[in-house]
């Protein structure tokens, strides 16, 4: 039977009628504190990528339902903005406890809908949980500034105030972490929120929202609407939504960035990636190979911080054979299998796209050192599996290098020097993450200074920052000014009000001075 891990009273009530008839449950929206089944007649199947079972059906929410969600958020803002920050933080303290309590349920839902291994799904939840923990300190994070006596008897101070209704649009690859990058900080800063989960794996968002309600988040502070392009466009256009957080592909991200900012909204848009590792000949061989295999093939390469390209400098190219041996040893199976190292990719279309990019590499002269395209996974013959694949002799102009593959495919290139390797990496349009493996501090420092990437790793393969820093991105990997979480995240979800106050006994001379005041 399909495992749909949503079992709480909210969801099962909405799901029961259709489950009883044998059809998959409909994923509910959350509007004004109630989990409600959409009235829409159009829906999309949520498919388990390891088995092709239909797990649930996600509705294409109607415009009326969307408007109701925004209206509930707008109404809730009136009291939530005046709720003391200590009380808002207390909801986050409770939420982090509840996420820990239900982490297995969340992870099982993620594995069922998204495909990653259960252990990796725990990591997905845990990295989001850390943002909730961080949001527990919002009072300190959003403190303003004060300068006394800027002029005689006059003080100036700034306060950070919430924006109003904010919205978040999520990708499929981190069904828990990315919603948790968005709504916890937004609401603890005093905003209310409308979340649009990925239509491919909406279950974790609904479970997280149930937990947020259980933690004491008032009705209407967090709302969920499901759907695809139409609902996203409605979010971009809606006059009551003040800010949009987006994570996903460049096509959608640039469209959302332009459309929402044309309507005067703040937008933070985290997009695609092509992350490179530069391997210097002095690097520690075994540790580096382990790091490359884990960062290239973990989550079947469907991480925006996956290391998908290795640039071997000088003598380190001879390590390719070790890489192939280590990759061959990985077990590909359904994420629920305890010994699986990597699961399937998200959809048949994704598998087709990845295979096409591998083939285009081969046709343009790359050498296929390991081919995972025709892998057979016993017991899961219908899954969208691709085994670890390694292409060598790749060059910068190849399609497989220019485009994000987002699958378990590692490209290997060569460079004669660190300079050449850095210039090679910087020529790529993306700038999400990049790492160097070396024992030379001089090489590491040069790399750190010259590389054009938001997240830089030095002997660290996936340098995703913890929430007290921000997740950034350069070039085509990010659009906007204020990044996700950390100080920038708090700034994104608040606006500055600057107050100038005068408290002194004012002389009653009756002289009016029309000149610009100076101190
Ligand atoms: P996607 O862009 O297809 O979908 C993301 C969201 O946008 C979904 O909610 C979807 O419904 C919506 N959407 C898609 N196309 C749209 C359109 N034309 N108009 C309006 N809305 C649209 O992305 P995905 O496949 O779910 O996620 C994978 C991508 O996300 C990869 O490119 C990956 O690198 C990127 N990603 C980036 C980061 C980061 O922090 N930089 C993190 C995770 C994923």
């Amino acid at each position: 039977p399909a495992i749909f891990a949503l079992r709480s009273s909210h969801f099962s009530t909405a799901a029961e009628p259709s489950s009883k008839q044998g059809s998959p449950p409909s994923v509910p929206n959350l509007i004004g504190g109630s989990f409600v089944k959409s009235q829409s007649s159009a829906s999309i199947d949520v498919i388990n990528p390891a088995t092709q079972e239909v797990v649930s059906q996600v509705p294409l929410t109607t415009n009326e339902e969307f408007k109701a969600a925004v209206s509930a958020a707008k109404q809730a803002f009136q009291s939530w903005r005046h709720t003391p920050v200590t009380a808002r933080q207390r909801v986050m303290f409770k939420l982090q406890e509840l996420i820990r309590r239900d982490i297995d349920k969340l992870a099982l839902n993620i594995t069922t809908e998204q495909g990653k291994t259960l252990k990796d799904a725990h990591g997905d939840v845990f990295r989001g949980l850390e943002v909730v923990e961080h949001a527990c300190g919002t009072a300190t994070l959003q403190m303003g500034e004060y300068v006394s006596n800027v002029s005689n008897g006059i003080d100036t101070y700034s306060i950070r105030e919430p924006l109003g209704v904010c919205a978040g649009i999520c990708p499929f690859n981190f069904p828990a972490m990315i919603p948790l990058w968005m709504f916890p900080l937004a609401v603890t800063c005093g905003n209310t929120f409308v979340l649009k989960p990925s239509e491919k794996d909406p279950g974790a968002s609904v479970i997280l929202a149930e937990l947020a309600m259980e933690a004491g988040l008032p009705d209407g502070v967090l709302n969920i609407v499901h759907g695809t392009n139409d609902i996203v466009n409605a979010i971009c256009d809606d006059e009551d939504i003040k800010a949009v957080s987006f994570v996903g592909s460049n096509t959608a991200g640039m469209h959302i960035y332009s459309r929402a900012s044309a309507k005067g909204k703040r937008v933070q848009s985290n997009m695609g990636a092509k992350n490179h590792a530069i391997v210097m000949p002095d690097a520690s061989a075994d540790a580096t190979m382990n790091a490359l295999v884990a960062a290239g093939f973990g989550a079947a390469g469907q991480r925006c911080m996956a290391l998908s390209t290795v640039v071997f400098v000088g003598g380190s190219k001879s390590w390719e054979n070790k890489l192939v041996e280590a990759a061959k040893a990985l077990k590909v199976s359904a994420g629920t299998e305890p010994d699986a190292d990597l699961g399937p990719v998200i959809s048949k279309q994704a598998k087709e796209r990845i295979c096409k990019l591998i083939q285009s590499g081969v046709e343009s002269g790359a050498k296929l050192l390991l081919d995972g395209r025709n892998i057979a996974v016993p017991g899961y013959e219908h899954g969208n599996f691709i085994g670890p694949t390694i292409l060598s002799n790749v060059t910068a102009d190849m399609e497989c290098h220019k485009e994000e593959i987002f699958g378990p495919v590692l490209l290997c290139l060569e460079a004669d020097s660190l300079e050449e390797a850095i210039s090679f990496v910087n020529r790529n349009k993306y700038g999400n993450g990049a790492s160097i493996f070396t024992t030379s501090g001089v090489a590491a420092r040069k790399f750190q200074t010259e590389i054009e990437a938001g997240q830089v790793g030095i002997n660290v393969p996936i340098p995703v920052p913890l929430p007290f820093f921000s997740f950034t991105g350069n070039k085509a990997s990010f659009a906007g000014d204020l990044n996700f979480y950390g100080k920038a995240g708090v700034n994104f979800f608040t606006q500055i009000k600057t107050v100038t106050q005068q408290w002194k006994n004012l002389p009653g001379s009756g002289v009016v001075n029309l000149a610009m005041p100076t101190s």
Side-chain angles (χ1 to χ4, degrees):
I3 311 162
F4 194 20
L6 293 176
R7 286 282 176 266
S8 78
S9 52
H10 295 303
F11 187 75
S12 48
T13 311
E16 253 169 33
S18 51
S19 321
K20 277 183 183 160
Q21 291 156 17
S23 60
S26 169
V27 187
N29 285 323
L30 169 60
I31 299 175
S34 303
F35 287 89
V36 283
K37 191 170 187 284
S38 171
Q39 295 306 305
S40 170
S41 53
S43 65
I44 297 177
D45 289 344
V46 175
I47 294 170
N48 180 330
T51 61
Q52 307 304 326
E53 265 181 315
V54 178
V55 179
S56 58
Q57 280 171 333
V58 68
L60 301 185
T61 301
T62 65
N63 198 44
E64 291 68 38
E65 290 162 340
F66 166 72
K67 289 280 177 206
V70 177
S71 160
K74 193 178 174 188
Q75 205 186 329
F77 180 64
Q78 295 315 321
S79 52
W80 183 241
R81 66 178 305 188
H82 298 301
T83 303
V85 66
T86 43
R88 297 199 301 249
Q89 286 181 161
R90 245 166 247 136
V91 176
M92 291 299 122
F93 276 110
K94 186 68 186 168
L95 178 60
Q96 65 81 28
E97 183 191 319
L98 297 178
I99 291 174
R100 281 172 203 278
R101 184 195 71 191
D102 285 359
I103 195 163
D104 290 342
K105 172 178 163 180
L106 278 156
L108 180 60
N109 180 275
I110 291 171
T111 299
T112 307
E113 295 186 0
Q114 199 274 354
K116 62 179 73 176
T117 65
L118 275 174
K119 195 169 174 209
D120 201 32
H122 272 87
D124 185 333
V125 182
F126 194 84
R127 294 305 295 263
L129 170 71
E130 289 176 319
V131 184
V132 180
E133 291 171 340
H134 190 61
C136 293
T138 297
T140 316
L141 296 169
Q142 68 169 33
M143 280 205 290
E145 295 174 322
Y146 192 105
V147 176
S148 171
N149 218 36
V150 292
S151 185
N152 191 18
I154 297 182
D155 314 310
T156 298
Y157 54 94
S158 64
I159 45 185
R160 290 207 154 266
E161 295 192 327
L163 308 172
V165 182
C166 300
I169 301 159
C170 304
F172 78 83
N173 67 328
F174 282 101
M177 180 180 83
I178 288 177
L180 291 172
W181 279 8
M182 297 177 178
F183 79 81
L185 201 52
V187 302
T188 320
C189 284
N191 302 288
T192 54
F193 209 82
V194 176
L195 185 73
K196 206 298 280 176
S198 168
E199 65 279 11
K200 300 198 172 77
D201 43 26
S205 285
V206 177
I207 300 175
L208 289 168
E210 289 177 330
L211 298 181
M213 302 296 291
E214 187 182 342
L217 204 63
D219 292 354
V221 173
L222 173 63
N223 303 272
I224 297 184
V225 287
H226 299 286
T228 56
N229 301 13
D230 287 349
I231 210 85
V232 168
N233 288 339
I235 288 173
C236 294
D237 295 346
D238 194 284
E239 305 234 315
D240 288 323
I241 293 177
K242 305 296 175 198
V244 178
S245 300
F246 170 81
V247 179
S249 67
N250 283 63
T251 314
M254 286 317 297
H255 164 72
I256 290 164
Y257 182 77
S258 334
R259 188 157 176 159
S261 39
K263 293 278 177 182
K265 300 184 198 332
R266 286 184 180 193
V267 186
Q268 49 178 194
S269 178
N270 268 18
M271 297 173 287
K274 192 81 185 177
N275 308 313
H276 292 71
I278 293 181
V279 179
M280 300 300 286
D282 62 6
S284 156
D286 287 344
T288 304
M289 289 308 110
N290 288 341
L292 294 178
V293 168
F297 304 119
Q302 298 176 115
R303 289 181 183 137
C304 63
M305 285 293 284
L307 272 183
S308 53
T309 308
V310 190
V311 188
F312 289 107
V313 176
S316 58
K317 184 177 161 60
S318 57
W319 300 359
E320 273 180 5
N321 290 342
K322 283 192 183 181
L323 205 54
V324 171
E325 289 315 308
K328 264 188 193 163
L330 296 176
K331 166 104 187 210
V332 181
S333 191
T336 42
E337 294 296 330
D339 54 350
D341 291 306
L342 57 144
V345 296
I346 188 72
S347 63
K348 291 236 168 291
Q349 294 84 335
K351 178 171 174 174
E352 217 169 275
R353 206 187 133 267
I354 295 163
C355 291
K356 258 192 200 148
L357 281 164
I358 297 171
Q359 188 58 28
S360 84
V362 174
E363 283 164 12
S364 42
K367 193 170 154 198
L368 197 53
L369 297 183
L370 186 62
D371 186 358
R373 287 176 291 180
N374 297 316
I375 190 167
V377 177
Y380 299 94
E381 285 73 14
H382 303 295
N384 316 319
F385 293 99
I386 306 179
T389 298
I390 301 182
L391 283 166
S392 168
N393 297 345
V394 171
T395 55
D397 53 335
M398 289 182 187
E399 200 62 15
C400 63
H401 178 257
K402 288 196 281 190
E403 295 306 320
E404 180 180 40
I405 298 180
F406 224 55
V409 184
L410 195 55
L411 309 182
C412 299
L413 300 99
E414 276 180 275
D416 290 332
S417 63
L418 178 57
E419 284 76 15
E420 195 192 328
I422 291 174
S423 93
F424 182 81
V425 177
N426 286 349
R427 265 159 56 203
N428 192 272
K429 68 178 170 187
Y430 296 109
N432 209 36
S435 293
I436 189 168
F437 293 87
T438 182
T439 47
S440 158
V442 176
R445 199 162 187 287
K446 181 180 171 64
F447 174 81
Q448 173 206 299
T449 311
E450 295 179 14
I451 206 75
E452 293 168 0
Q455 274 73 234
V456 174
I458 296 173
N459 295 319
V460 173
I462 304 187
V464 175
L466 287 169
F468 23 90
F469 292 95
S470 295
F471 189 104
T472 62
N474 278 10
K475 303 194 285 187
S477 293
F478 178 70
D481 310 286
L482 295 167
N483 295 106
F484 279 84
Y485 60 78
K487 284 190 193 120
V490 174
N491 291 350
F492 182 78
F493 288 123
T494 53
Q495 57 193 333
I496 301 174
K497 185 178 269 176
T498 312
V499 183
T500 300
Q501 62 174 2
Q502 171 170 255
W503 294 112
K504 67 182 178 195
N505 291 321
L506 301 167
S509 70
V511 178
V512 179
N513 184 355
L514 272 69
M516 184 71 182
T518 56
S519 56

